[in-house]
Each structure stands twice: as C-alpha cells, then as structure tokens.
C-alpha cells in the first residue's frame, strides 16, 4: 500500500515552517478566517455588515492587502510544496456585532447610524449559524469578498514566481452542497485571473471542493468532474451525519452516552467508520471513477489518529492534514499503514520495547 502523505494545518507562515520542519509534505488546510481572530477582527466584521459604498470598498482593499501578505508568508515557507488555501468559512455570528449591545446603543443614542446597524445585525442574525450562511455561501452572497481572497492568492503567487520561488497554491471551496456553487467560484477565479492578465492555469491555482456536507459526499462524481482535488472535512461531516453540535454534545451528551455504554468514544475524537467512513469510501470510489488521477485529502481532528490514517490509506486517499504537533505521530501512523499486514502485526509494542 502506498504511504499516505501528511500535510500540516497552517494559518500562519510560522505554522507552515514548523510543519515543514517536522516533515509535512505541504499545507493541507489554511483557514483564512483564523487570520481575522485578532486585530483584524473588526475589518472583517465591517465587510460582513457593510452596505455597498466607499467604506466597503476601502475595507475590502484592507482585507486584500492583509491576506496577500499572510498568504505570501505561507507560500514562501512551503516553497515547492502544495498549499491548500480555503476560502473564508467564518461562523458569521462570531463576526457580527453583539445584538444586545447594538440594541442598547441604538436605544441610548437614537442615532440613525446606530439604528441602521441594529436593523442590519437583526437581519443577519441566525438561530443556527453553523447551518446557515458560511463557507461558499458567504462568498456567493458577497462576491466582492470572494474576489479579493482569490486576487490575494493569485497576486501572491505571481509575485513569488517573478522572484524565483515555486509556489503551488490550491484553492479550496468550503461547505459545498451543489456543483453549481463550484461553477460559481470557477467563474470568479476565471474573472480575477483575466483581470490580472492571466488564467488559473497560468497562475497554477488548482480548484477543489471540501466534502463536509452529506450531500457533497453523495455528489462526489459531479464535484470531481469540476475539481482538481477534493478534501474531506471530517469535523463538519461528522457533525452533519450525526446531527450534533460538537461544542454542545461533547460537554454533556457524549460523555453521558459513554458512561451508559451507548458509545465507546466520541465520533469527534475517533473516526466513525460505520457511517462517516462509509461516505468517505464512497467519495473516493466515485471521484476516482470519473477522474482516476484526482487528489484526495482529509483534514479534521480525527485525521491524525492511527486507526483513521490506516482507514484513509486503505480507502485510497492521498494525504491527511493535521496541526503541527501531531505531524510526527501522523507520519508514524502513515508509515505503519503502508506496511504489509503481517509486518504491521509484528511491529514492537510499547510493552515489548
């Protein structure tokens, strides 16, 4: 069995460099929204809540410049190796003004701008934001935001190539549920590249879909026909297959189920081979049926677990991606998974060393 490659989840140049030093074969997941969790939180909040006009144009320019600089650092750290950059997938509620605070401010001031801000916050508020406007949906509803992300990636790639580097960018589309969403992103990518005087092929940017909704898993053939690669997102796929919110379920329900003997372990801690794994195998089989050479990756908390690594290797995936500290264990698990069964069964155990 071929050895499964191990990539790193990296949202900064430092994370990418750390992953490379530990033997990562590229970046499997760069989450752009994580770049806005600190000082740049407010600018993304303004973009998500702005109306068209000069202020929005200025904030989009700020987002573009910031992302270009951050992406450049990651591409340099992984020069010559693939870097998968995921379009913004922010849980929108984390970047909206606090509804209570906005209401109190509007009541206290009575200012038209504060009332307008409150009305907009109420309109954008979602009761279940993890199943609402996120991932590709955010970009489709605000295509200018999608365009500046793609422009930042394309310009960073072009500039590095001109300076003699070898960037290998991959653009990942999150929360896909219909192939037409991928067509939409492809159109934006084509348009951005045309405005820069090039093409996606000219920049070397490949396009892929993140398989994290059950519908995307069931439509893997259609998505593979439109994609250069697919990335299985086990965290959200597990949540949607089980109908569970991880943050809520792991606080009370799942520990209680384990105490009662209804579950052996949390499906968020160890891959649910019975159901999530069934979909993962189907994705690999269906995708390779229409595009035999398509690259298949996996990212998520379970990806570095030894049993999951063996499962994904056997299912035909090309790589898994995990946080930098977990890379050595994931590489060891991948090497063990590549051994013939008899050799793997006879490997030394901790007790036998």
């Amino acid at each position: 069995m071929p050895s499964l490659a191990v990539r790193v989840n990296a949202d900064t140049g430092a994370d990418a460099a750390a992953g490379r030093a530990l033997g990562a074969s590229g970046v499997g997941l760069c989450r752009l929204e994580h770049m806005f969790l600190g000082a740049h939180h407010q600018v993304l909040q303004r973009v998500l809540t702005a109306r068209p006009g000069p202020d929005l144009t200025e904030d989009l320019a700020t987002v573009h410049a910031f992302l270009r600089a951050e992406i450049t650092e990651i591409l340099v750290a992984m020069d010559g190796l693939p870097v998968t950059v995921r379009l913004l997938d922010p849980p929108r509620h984390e970047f909206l003004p606090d509804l209570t605070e906005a209401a109190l401010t509007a009541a206290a001031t009575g200012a038209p701008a504060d009332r307008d801000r409150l009305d907009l916050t109420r309109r954008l508020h979602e009761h279940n934001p993890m199943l609402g406007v996120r991932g590709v949906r955010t970009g489709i509803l605000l295509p200018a935001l999608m365009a500046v992300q793609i422009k930042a990636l394309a310009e960073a790639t072009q500039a590095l190539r001109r300076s003699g580097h070898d960037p290998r960018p991959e653009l990942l589309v999150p929360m896909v549920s219909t192939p037409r969403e991928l067509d939409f992103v492809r159109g934006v990518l084509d348009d951005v590249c045309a405005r820069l005087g090039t093409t996606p092929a000219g920049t070397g940017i490949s396009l892929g879909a993140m398989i994290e909704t059950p519908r995307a898993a069931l439509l893997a053939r259609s998505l593979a026909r439109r994609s250069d690669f697919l990335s299985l997102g086990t965290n959200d796929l597990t949540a949607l297959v089980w109908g569970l919110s991880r943050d809520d379920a792991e606080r009370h329900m799942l520990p209680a189920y384990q105490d009662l003997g209804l579950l052996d372990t949390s499906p968020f801690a160890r891959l649910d081979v019975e159901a999530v794994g069934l979909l993962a195998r189907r994705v690999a089989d269906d995708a390779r049926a229409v595009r035999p050479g398509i690259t298949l990756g996996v990212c998520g908390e379970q990806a570095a677990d030894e049993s999951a690594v063996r499962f994904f290797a056997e299912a035909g995936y090309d790589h898994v991606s995990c946080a930098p500290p977990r890379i050595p264990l994931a590489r060891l698990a991948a090497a063990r998974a590549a051994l013939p069964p008899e050799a793997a069964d006879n490997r030394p155990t901790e007790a036998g060393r």
Side-chain angles (χ1 to χ4, degrees), residues 185-202:
V185 178
R186 177 78 70 179
V188 176
L189 174 61
D190 289 343
D191 182 64
V192 168
C193 288
R195 291 174 184 273
L196 295 175
T198 184
T199 64

Side-chain angles (χ1 to χ4, degrees), residues 29 32 40 60 81-82 116 120 131 151 159 176 199 211 215 218 237 246-247 259 263 273 279 310 330 333 351:
L29 182 64
L32 295 185
H40 287 81
L60 285 171
L81 296 175
D116 184 61
L120 186 60
L131 294 179
K151 183 181 179 184
V176 172
T199 64
I211 308 297
R215 194 173 197 274
L218 296 172
L237 187 58
R246 177 180 181 178
D247 293 338
D259 290 343
L263 286 175
V273 174
L279 285 176
R310 176 169 289 278

Side-chain angles (χ1 to χ4, degrees), residues 44-167:
L44 185 56
Q45 180 185 96
R46 291 197 302 269
V47 167
L48 292 173
T49 59
R51 301 188 187 279
D55 289 343
L56 176 58
T57 301
E58 182 179 342
D59 285 333
L60 285 171
T62 300
V63 168
H64 164 258
F66 171 64
L67 288 180
R68 176 173 168 169
E70 295 294 308
I71 290 170
T72 297
E73 287 190 13
I74 294 171
L75 290 173
V76 168
M78 279 292 170
D79 198 51
L81 296 175
V83 173
T84 303
V85 176
R86 187 176 71 182
L87 287 171
L88 281 166
D89 184 21
R92 191 165 64 171
H93 65 290
E94 294 181 4
F95 289 90
L96 291 179
D98 180 82
L99 188 57
T100 301
E101 179 182 316
L104 291 173
T105 300
T109 67
D114 290 330
R115 290 200 302 269
D116 184 61
R117 185 169 182 260
L118 174 61
D119 290 343
L120 186 60
T121 302
R122 283 174 171 162
R123 181 166 62 82
L124 297 178
H125 178 77
E126 296 174 301
H127 291 288
N128 194 339
M130 298 309 289
L131 294 179
V133 180
R134 50 173 296 206
V136 67
R137 302 163 188 171
T138 301
I140 288 174
L141 294 180
L142 189 52
L145 178 58
M146 181 188 294
V148 297
Q149 297 170 68
I150 295 175
K151 183 181 179 184
L153 178 61
E155 288 184 343
T157 302
Q158 285 182 315
L160 287 173
R161 283 200 173 148
R162 285 194 294 266
S163 64
H165 288 84
D166 182 22

Side-chain angles (χ1 to χ4, degrees), residues 7 13 225 255 273 349:
R7 297 189 188 182
R225 288 190 183 99
V273 174
T349 63

Side-chain angles (χ1 to χ4, degrees), residues 20 25 36 72 81-82 85 88 94 131 142 181 217 234 236 277 298 306 318 321 324 344:
R20 185 163 193 157
S25 61
F36 292 92
T72 297
L81 296 175
V85 176
L88 281 166
E94 294 181 4
L131 294 179
L142 189 52
E181 290 169 325
T234 60
D236 278 315
V298 184
E306 182 167 356
D318 297 296
S321 189

Side-chain angles (χ1 to χ4, degrees), residues 324-338:
R326 302 191 71 185
I327 289 174
L329 290 177
R331 292 184 65 204
L332 178 60
R336 287 175 171 172

